[in-house]
Amino acid sequence: MSASAAPECIEVKERYDSCFLKWYSEKFLRGNATTDECEPLFKSYQACLSVALKDRGIDKLIDEARESSKETDAEFLRRT
């Protein structure tokens, strides 16, 4: 399992990673997946990470990067 960008989120990330790998290999790849059973864990990790990034001021950098890439994305999509 990979480390989290925020040490305070490692535990929930590990639970999500374990759940996802099991779901993916045992259900999704075999065509037996009707829902993503790990979604609640993903949402918990996402919430933890969001708070950690905001506390560090990184959320603003991410928002700026997303905003500046919109034009580039639109140009790329026009070519295809």
Side-chain angles (χ1 to χ4, degrees), residues 17-35:
D17 285 347
S18 295
C19 180
F20 178 81
L21 290 173
K22 183 176 181 178
W23 170 83
Y24 185 75
S25 63
E26 294 178 8
K27 294 189 179 177
F28 181 78
L29 290 178
R30 296 178 182 172
N32 298 326
T34 56
T35 61

Side-chain angles (χ1 to χ4, degrees), residues 30-54:
R30 296 178 182 172
N32 298 326
T34 56
T35 61
D36 182 355
E37 300 164 5
C38 305
E39 186 175 1
L41 288 172
F42 175 75
K43 289 185 184 265
S44 294
Y45 175 58
Q46 189 176 38
C48 180
L49 195 56
S50 180
V51 169
L53 294 176
K54 186 173 184 173

